[in-house]
Amino acid sequence: MKIAFDKIINHLKTQGFVFQGSEIYGGLANSWDYGPLGSELKNKLKSCWWNYFVKRNKLNVGIDTSIILNPKVWIASGHLGNFNDPLIDCKSCKSRFRADKLVEELYVDINAGNLNYDELESFIKENKISCPKCKSFDFTNIRQFDLMFKTFQGPIEDDSAKVYLRPETAQGIFVQYKNTQRALRKKLPFGIGQIGKSFRNEITPGNFIFRTREFEQMELEFFFSPNDTNNWFDYWLKKVQDFILNELNIKKDNFIVREHDKEELSHYSNKTVDIEYEFPFGRGELWGIAHRSDYDLSQHQKFSGEDLSYLDQESGIKFIPHVIEPSVGVERLLLALLCDSYCEEKLPNGESRIILKLPKKLAPYQIAVLPLQKQQSELSVKLYEKLLLNFDATYDESGNIGKRYRRQDAIGTPYCLTVDFETEKDNCVTVRDRDSMEQKRVNINDLSNYLTNN
Ligand code: GAP
């Protein structure tokens, strides 16, 4: 059953996952803050990615580069010049849109990214597409809109001090490719991963945290020899799917794999495959896997004058490595994970419950300690403090036990431990499973084992 998007957004807000940015000042358009549970989940999602793609992969290492880079980086990468969207304004109500999205929202089978500006304008006129806000047909011509966020470095605000906030984390990796390869004495093939903020002055951000102007990316740049006969593209495409299915437990039916056709490719890409997720508002890009060839390193070699080639010790041949890049937005992946795990269930007693069926290791709290009655509070607090040393735990003694179970289900806590009047005598608590609602008596001394092995 498809759940209404508003319901999920409202749930995430009331449960402390995501708040509107600057809310007490009326908000700032399309900016979102992460509350205690959202930031915990986000941190766990990032470390899950980092473990899978960086730490537990024998070929890869990770780095952390600056948000503001030398502006020449963006000339070399092609972002200054190529990184723009088709902007169109409604003359009547002055609303601003991305012309390609205006078309695609009504004609889902049309890939408007393939149309040039003249073709897009004609399509809008011929098909009598009107302004989604005021229904007027009176649009401006399409103009190019630069997505780079600009600012000034230092006290003087002139052209020589102009710098940009990075629109992707990838370029920091390319710029530090040589240092990383030398310092770690890495041999090809190897990858460099990075997690960090990126900024894009999107014309039409929206759909909650799906498209924002400030977001985080998790990117891997995997370098290999052009003579390497392994199919690294397919290798990383499979890895990404394995991560989505087996680390995040996202359902197979909820995403598809789609290859870009030639006209849709970014300026740097030879081949791109997107994983697209069925969000409640429609299908959208989740994760891109791109073959960037030797484009970026060659460009940086040309513009910086530094030799970025790799010397193959065995053959004595020098070449510029090629690159496969799996790239995903943290918030977009978080949104897919939350939509996928949100469910509503009818209970045998006629009541219903909301559950976030998050993978156990990612849930903000792994355990909730609940005293059955106030008399067990002291013992429960002691147990809670002990568990906090090794687990992400929370404590709740307000309301009846049924309500407390519902509260924990709603935030995805896999286990509730209930301390009751027997606990003092038998040193056991009742452990309730979030998904099956099954209850088991477990000795406190065996809890650690039980919780880590279930
Ligand atoms: N380095 C390649 C690159 O940045 P991209 O397709 O522009 O490629 C990669 O972005 C991923 O970053 C997307 O698949 C998406 O998950 C995320 N992303 C891009 N723009 C975003 C935005 N405005 N808000 C949230 N996530 C975004």
Side-chain angles (χ1 to χ4, degrees):
M1 186 186 66
K2 215 162 191 175
I3 311 265
F5 199 28
D6 282 353
K7 233 180 178 182
I8 299 179
I9 296 173
N10 189 43
H11 182 76
L12 295 176
K13 183 175 173 181
T14 50
Q15 298 294 334
F17 282 87
V18 186
F19 303 132
Q20 190 187 2
S22 315
E23 189 172 320
I24 61 166
Y25 287 99
L28 172 71
N30 298 101
S31 78
W32 303 97
D33 292 338
Y34 292 81
L37 302 194
S39 49
E40 195 57 41
L41 180 58
K42 208 173 174 199
N43 283 337
K44 285 184 177 171
L45 181 62
K46 287 194 277 184
S47 68
C48 187
W49 182 93
W50 189 261
N51 277 333
Y52 186 93
F53 287 94
V54 178
K55 269 168 84 167
R56 309 270 169 260
N57 188 300
K58 64 179 182 193
L59 298 173
N60 297 343
V61 291
I63 59 171
D64 183 10
T65 67
S66 308
I67 286 172
I68 298 174
L69 304 177
N70 187 318
K72 286 181 192 156
V73 169
W74 307 114
I75 300 171
S77 70
H79 282 89
L80 285 179
N82 282 322
F83 199 55
N84 42 57
D85 280 336
L87 177 74
I88 195 166
D89 289 342
C90 168
K91 283 190 188 162
S92 175
C93 71
K94 311 288 177 226
S95 296
R96 187 158 272 192
F97 305 98
R98 249 178 82 172
D100 52 342
K101 296 289 166 210
L102 205 57
V103 169
E104 282 171 3
E105 256 150 45
L106 295 172
Y107 296 87
V108 282
D109 296 333
I110 299 271
N111 194 342
N114 292 351
L115 305 178
N116 65 35
Y117 289 6
D118 288 344
E119 289 167 336
L120 261 177
E121 279 173 8
S122 309
F123 191 95
I124 290 171
K125 276 193 192 113
E126 279 159 22
N127 292 285
K128 298 199 170 43
I129 295 179
S130 64
C131 168
K133 292 250 169 76
C134 74
K135 305 292 168 219
S136 156
F137 295 96
D138 200 9
F139 286 111
T140 60
N141 289 339
I142 295 173
R143 287 148 9 257
Q144 204 171 294
F145 180 75
D146 182 6
L147 294 179
M148 299 278 280
F149 261 100
K150 302 164 201 66
T151 186
F152 297 96
Q153 181 157 271
I156 299 161
E157 298 195 357
D158 65 11
D159 268 359
S160 66
K162 207 181 202 181
V163 287
Y164 302 87
L165 306 187
R166 66 180 175 200
E168 60 171 10
T169 61
Q171 296 305 323
I173 297 179
F174 295 127
V175 168
Q176 293 300 348
Y177 156 77
K178 195 88 201 179
N179 277 336
T180 309
Q181 188 263 325
R182 278 203 188 135
L184 279 286
R185 297 182 310 283
K186 292 300 276 182
K187 290 214 162 61
L188 290 182
F190 73 93
I192 307 178
Q194 167 156 237
I195 300 179
K197 289 264 185 188
S198 291
F199 301 83
R200 295 182 190 178
N201 204 1
E202 301 277 4
I203 302 170
T204 46
N207 283 328
F208 190 38
I209 56 172
F210 176 81
R211 179 174 287 109
T212 50
R213 296 191 171 109
E214 173 182 344
F215 57 100
E216 279 186 272
Q217 286 185 308
M218 304 193 278
E219 302 202 287
L220 175 74
E221 307 303 322
F222 188 78
F223 302 91
F224 60 98
S225 159
N227 298 321
D228 187 337
T229 51
N230 291 298
N231 188 340
W232 289 114
F233 192 97
D234 284 0
Y235 174 85
W236 286 110
L237 179 59
K238 273 209 192 94
K239 282 278 194 194
V240 166
Q241 290 178 79
D242 176 59
F243 183 81
I244 294 175
L245 286 169
N246 300 318
E247 297 290 317
L248 305 186
N249 297 351
I250 287 181
K251 295 169 207 78
K252 203 171 192 302
D253 289 347
N254 287 346
F255 66 89
I256 60 146
V257 176
R258 185 183 69 83
E259 181 161 355
H260 286 205
D261 43 33
K262 281 266 168 306
E263 294 76 20
E264 201 187 339
L265 291 173
S266 313
H267 62 276
Y268 52 74
S269 175
N270 269 344
K271 173 180 177 175
T272 296
V273 167
D274 281 344
I275 310 269
E276 297 183 338
Y277 182 78
E278 294 290 347
F279 290 98
F281 53 82
R283 197 197 296 153
E285 175 188 336
L286 176 63
W287 206 315
I289 297 95
H291 192 311
R292 296 184 77 127
S293 68
D294 59 355
Y295 175 82
D296 301 274
L297 288 184
S298 297
Q299 286 291 100
H300 288 304
Q301 173 164 289
K302 190 164 134 200
F303 282 78
S304 69
E306 280 286 322
D307 180 4
L308 297 181
S309 62
Y310 177 88
L311 174 66
D312 185 77
Q313 302 288 349
E314 276 169 33
S315 64
I317 298 173
K318 260 180 146 189
F319 55 86
I320 302 274
H322 282 216
V323 171
I324 303 293
E325 173 198 66
S327 167
V328 65
V330 175
E331 294 82 358
R332 225 175 252 196
L333 193 56
L334 186 73
L335 183 60
L337 178 65
L338 285 163
C339 293
D340 221 77
S341 44
Y342 181 100
C343 50
E344 295 175 356
E345 260 182 24
K346 268 256 168 289
L347 297 171
N349 66 3
E351 287 177 20
S352 60
R353 65 170 184 154
I354 293 173
I355 330 168
L356 282 188
K357 288 194 176 173
L358 293 165
K360 290 180 178 170
K361 63 178 177 193
L362 297 184
Y365 301 121
Q366 294 160 288
I367 304 162
V369 180
L370 318 173
L372 189 63
Q373 292 160 331
K374 283 265 190 274
Q375 291 94 301
Q376 288 100 36
S377 293
E378 204 183 317
L379 186 59
S380 304
V381 169
K382 273 198 190 128
L383 175 63
Y384 167 53
E385 285 170 350
K386 198 170 153 207
L387 287 166
L388 270 181
L389 300 175
N390 295 307
F391 295 95
D392 298 330
T394 183
Y395 178 81
D396 188 4
E397 59 175 26
S398 62
N400 70 46
I401 193 74
K403 269 208 182 116
R404 283 183 271 161
Y405 283 152
R406 292 296 92 77
R407 277 205 284 269
Q408 296 305 322
D409 292 341
I411 60 172
T413 310
Y415 299 109
C416 288
L417 311 189
T418 309
V419 179
D420 56 32
F421 36 83
E422 287 290 308
T423 306
E424 220 159 339
K425 292 182 216 148
D426 65 1
N427 202 39
C428 288
V429 289
T430 304
V431 181
R432 173 196 179 263
D433 184 276
R434 175 194 69 195
D435 301 339
S436 66
M437 295 194 292
E438 263 171 25
Q439 304 196 0
K440 267 200 184 132
R441 245 3 232 171
V442 179
N443 193 294
I444 290 179
N445 299 333
D446 301 333
L447 266 180
S448 254
N449 244 344
Y450 182 87
L451 296 169
T452 17
N453 295 326
N454 270 281

